[in-house]
Amino acid sequence: MSAKMKAAVYHASGDVRIEEREVPTPVVGEVLLKVLRSGMCGTDASEYKSGPKIFATENKHPISGHHGPMILGHEFIGEIVGDVDASLGFKSGDIVASGAGISCGQCKRCKEMRTNLCEKYVTLGLNRDGGMAEFVAVPASTLVKVPAGLSLDAAGIAQPLAVGLHAARRAGVRDGDKVLLIGSGAIGTFVLAGLKKLFNAQVAVLDFGGSRLERAARLGADHTVEVGENAEAEIKKIFGDAGIDVVIEASGAPGQLQFAINLVKRGGNILQVGLPSGKQEIDVHKIVMSEINIQTTLAHVCDQDLGPALEILATTTLAEELIEGVYPLSEISNQLELLGSGKIQGKVLFDPSL
């Protein structure tokens, strides 16, 4: 008789159930993880609120082949259990973080080290069963060992921090640049951590006044600006005549990409991180006449970003600032509701053993 486990399974909008599933059997190149912490993100919340748009519950995923109810969870860490092929570089008992993104390693984008754009890219918890369960089978290529002494809670946010690091790399920031970061929610905070880790840049953060801006200041923002009628004037005063080299839009709020276009200097860079809920109008004339570069960012590159993310978590107070609680899987629907309604400002984790 197959061993059973509990898992948080997405069926449809507003319908996530705690169910009993069979413990998965790893195939060649995979290991079995006993999940120790699993997180949720805005994608999970939007799929819960108004999906499925990404999840392959109604239509078969063209790469993974998954079709139907799916175990959530693309942010997770765990302990490797069972027999392990020594050639994979891991052993039973290792504590590891998963990047969750599975790439082929052979296509043009993979060979360019842009594995997040792999032609056959599949993400655990988005396109096939993920890690919001007691166990998950994971390709060893997605794993990085968790540094000794790093708490499970802190390690549990390594994957979304890796996304922030990738975004920081994509922004085109150089040492000495003047950077405006719009939005200091969870993803904005991860981008800020990446900027402070990778570059010697002057960073101002724009958001509504309160705890998020206070957190940004504690985590190294050189300036914080409250949203309001005087915000633009204050930003211009901070950066002076030299202007803003890079604007990173991490809020997804309506009109903020245009706000970035208005503020960035001629020849400057804009990185769009946040996903607006609707179509946005922008002034293309200003973009062309000022030769503004607009970049986007997607997921992360495991080999480049997951290890440094764990290093940041091991050497800073970032996890203490962001983690709002650790819950049993039975709390998943309630926490998705709270995240989707904007009532969670940091990160929430789940411990399947509770």
Side-chain angles (χ1 to χ4, degrees):
M1 182 180 295
S2 300
K4 301 292 185 180
M5 67 176 187
K6 62 183 176 182
V9 182
Y10 178 97
H11 285 258
S13 175
D15 186 5
V16 173
R17 310 172 196 174
I18 304 303
E19 297 180 350
E20 190 176 77
R21 288 285 191 97
E22 291 189 359
V23 174
T25 300
V27 300
V28 174
E30 293 184 343
V31 299
L32 183 65
L33 292 189
K34 177 184 178 182
V35 179
L36 301 174
R37 295 289 187 275
S38 186
M40 63 179 186
C41 81
T43 300
D44 300 316
S46 63
E47 291 290 276
Y48 182 77
K49 185 177 181 179
S50 57
K53 297 178 182 178
I54 298 174
F55 295 167
T57 54
E58 296 180 353
N59 301 302
K60 183 178 179 180
H61 190 269
I63 306 299
S64 73
H66 184 95
H67 185 205
M70 185 192 71
I71 299 173
L72 294 170
H74 60 276
E75 304 176 1
F76 58 90
I77 65 166
E79 177 185 354
I80 297 177
V81 295
D83 296 330
V84 181
D85 182 345
S87 68
L88 297 177
F90 298 97
K91 65 182 185 302
S92 184
D94 283 345
I95 307 299
V96 293
S98 173
I102 306 168
S103 52
C104 74
Q106 301 299 318
C107 69
K108 181 179 179 180
R109 290 293 180 241
C110 282
K111 290 179 179 179
E112 294 172 344
M113 294 301 292
R114 300 184 73 182
T115 55
N116 59 318
L117 301 180
C118 171
E119 294 174 1
K120 298 181 179 179
Y121 200 68
V122 170
T123 303
L124 295 157
L126 295 181
N127 314 129
R128 59 175 259 196
D129 285 339
M132 204 166 284
E134 291 183 279
F135 295 91
V136 60
V138 186
S141 60
T142 71
L143 301 177
V144 174
K145 290 182 182 178
V146 172
L150 181 61
S151 74
L152 297 179
D153 291 354
I157 62 172
Q159 193 274 352
L161 175 54
V163 172
L165 283 174
H166 178 68
R169 295 183 200 277
R170 289 280 298 164
V173 177
R174 296 173 295 186
D175 284 348
D177 275 356
K178 299 179 185 298
V179 180
L180 174 65
L181 173 61
I182 302 173
S184 57
I187 186 60
T189 301
F190 288 133
V191 174
L192 174 62
L195 291 171
K196 302 309 290 188
K197 169 70 174 178
L198 298 172
F199 307 105
N200 179 23
Q202 181 184 356
V203 182
V205 178
L206 172 68
D207 207 326
F208 291 98
S211 60
R212 297 203 301 193
L213 277 186
E214 292 167 3
R215 179 175 67 197
R218 291 194 297 270
L219 291 173
D222 299 287
H223 310 277
T224 58
V225 181
E226 293 188 17
V227 171
E229 60 182 18
N230 296 322
E232 185 169 347
E234 187 174 347
I235 291 167
K236 290 180 177 178
K237 182 178 179 181
I238 288 170
F239 291 112
D241 294 338
I244 305 171
D245 299 291
V246 180
V247 181
I248 301 174
E249 203 299 284
S251 73
Q256 293 310 295
L257 176 55
Q258 184 60 53
F259 186 73
I261 293 168
N262 293 342
L263 285 180
V264 74
K265 69 193 301 184
R266 288 168 59 85
N269 295 329
I270 294 172
L271 180 75
Q272 182 65 38
V273 179
L275 286 174
S277 57
K279 294 181 179 180
Q280 302 292 299
E281 290 190 6
I282 58 173
D283 181 2
V284 177
H285 186 273
K286 172 71 183 294
I287 298 169
V288 173
M289 298 307 292
S290 297
E291 204 170 89
I292 294 168
N293 304 304
I294 298 180
Q295 297 269 45
T296 59
T297 183
L298 175 69
H300 67 105
V301 175
C302 189
D303 288 346
Q304 295 178 1
D305 301 311
L306 192 56
L310 287 163
E311 179 187 341
I312 290 173
L313 291 166
T315 55
T316 69
T317 61
L318 182 61
E320 296 172 24
E321 293 281 359
L322 273 173
I323 295 173
E324 296 194 6
V326 180
Y327 300 93
L329 288 180
S330 59
E331 272 288 305
I332 179 63
S333 293
N334 181 47
Q335 295 301 317
L336 285 169
E337 289 276 7
L338 292 172
L339 181 60
S341 61
K343 296 178 181 177
I344 294 176
Q345 303 300 321
K347 295 296 293 184
V348 162
L349 297 173
F350 297 89
D351 179 350
S353 69
L354 297 177

